[in-house]
Amino acid sequence: MIPFSPPRIDDRTVKAVEEALRSGWITTGPRTKEFERRLAAYCGVDRVIALNSWTNACELVLRWFGIGPGDEVIVPAYTYCATANIVMHVGAKPVLVDVLDDFTMDPEAVRRAITHRTKCIMPVDIGGLPARVPEIMRIAEECSPLFTPAVNLRVAGSNPQMRLGRALVMSDAAHSFGARIGDKAVGAQADITGFSFHAVKNLTTAEGGALAFNLPAPFDHEELYSYFNTMSLHGQSKDALAKTQPGAWRYDVAFPGWKCNMTDLQASIGLVELDRYDNDTLVRRRAICERYDKAFAADGRFIIPTFRDEKRTSSYHLYMLRVREASEAQRDAIITAIAQREVSVNVHFIPLPLLSFYKGQGYQMSDHPNTFAQYSREISLPVYYDLTDAQVDEVVAALKAAVDEVMGAA
Ligand SMILES: *Cc1c(COP(=O)(O)O)cnc(C)c1O
């Protein structure tokens, strides 16, 4: 069986984790701090904080910005449930918008969805292709006259909604670490960018996530970093590392914070991953995607994914193939036929309005026709470092045979 996306674990990874274990420091410590510095340098921002998942990291952002009941957050209908779930966690309302043919959020649909309740916009970089973040930032600016900041909000002595004066743009870059917009790495475009280092992602720490801060002046990134550290550790004034200083036992709690720090065991994996990311991981992932492209581009039955255009370069996270004429039922049948040929594939993603919870909240698939049109014929193919060219060819053969079987031979 060819798996879908096993992590790359080799002797170097095992050795790095062993060293972290034997160092005696297994929670947040020097390795996490080093990982954060290296992530910030990679993204070209002042500060990155590493936490235990995208989900918890981005939920902290919504809480920091004071988003809650009565507020709206704009989210694409085509995304993983986490993007909308965190909006539910804080008691706000996800407002869904449709996507373009490249699976990313339609900026004009965002413009139409903005109201005086909109507090945040969350573009999603599906499959590693960045959403149109600079355009969405411009729209957030242009719609600032509609923005109605909460008056009573105070976070660390100031009101972040008043300071920003418009909706916050928080990019869901769970798939797109290492992707680029223009000549800059993802992380340096949105106000705040959230990465995921979950086991299936391009760069992993087993579980993990990070926030890249890129807010305009007068926001102070050092201050933000420090505040998010406190938020991620119960609102406690000192972390475990600071408390190891002789005699420095006393601490205070400024507010009831959360608990979602990254450990040095996770960071030790991340440091190895980051070290070989550009010149090894991305090179291999891109070669795999290009081999798939060669197999499918000339065959009119398929629509191949976009990995680059004049502005954007993907991180080659997913190979999101579409079978042009397939209905949802035919796509499902094709996947069954592929599985019978010992190949694992996936669908990214089931649109939010098709999930029981969101359907129950009244969201309707018919409001987002392009999301459904892409989802219903989509099949994600295996992409991972250890996948060989021969296995790529096996996947192609299994897929083409399955499509012949379900749709009729070409
Ligand atoms: C994986 C993923 C997340 C969640 O990341 P975690 O680190 O598992 O919390 C969020 N958004 C998208 C689009 C994802 O694929």
Side-chain angles (χ1 to χ4, degrees), residues 57-78:
C58 293
E59 186 173 325
L60 286 193
V61 173
L62 298 183
R63 294 191 187 279
W64 161 77
F65 203 60
I67 297 174
D71 294 334
E72 296 178 350
V73 176
I74 300 176
V75 168
Y78 203 124

Side-chain angles (χ1 to χ4, degrees), residues 96-98 362-369:
L96 306 191
V97 297
D98 212 349
Y363 295 99
Q364 293 194 12
M365 195 65 263
S366 55
D367 290 337
H368 310 287

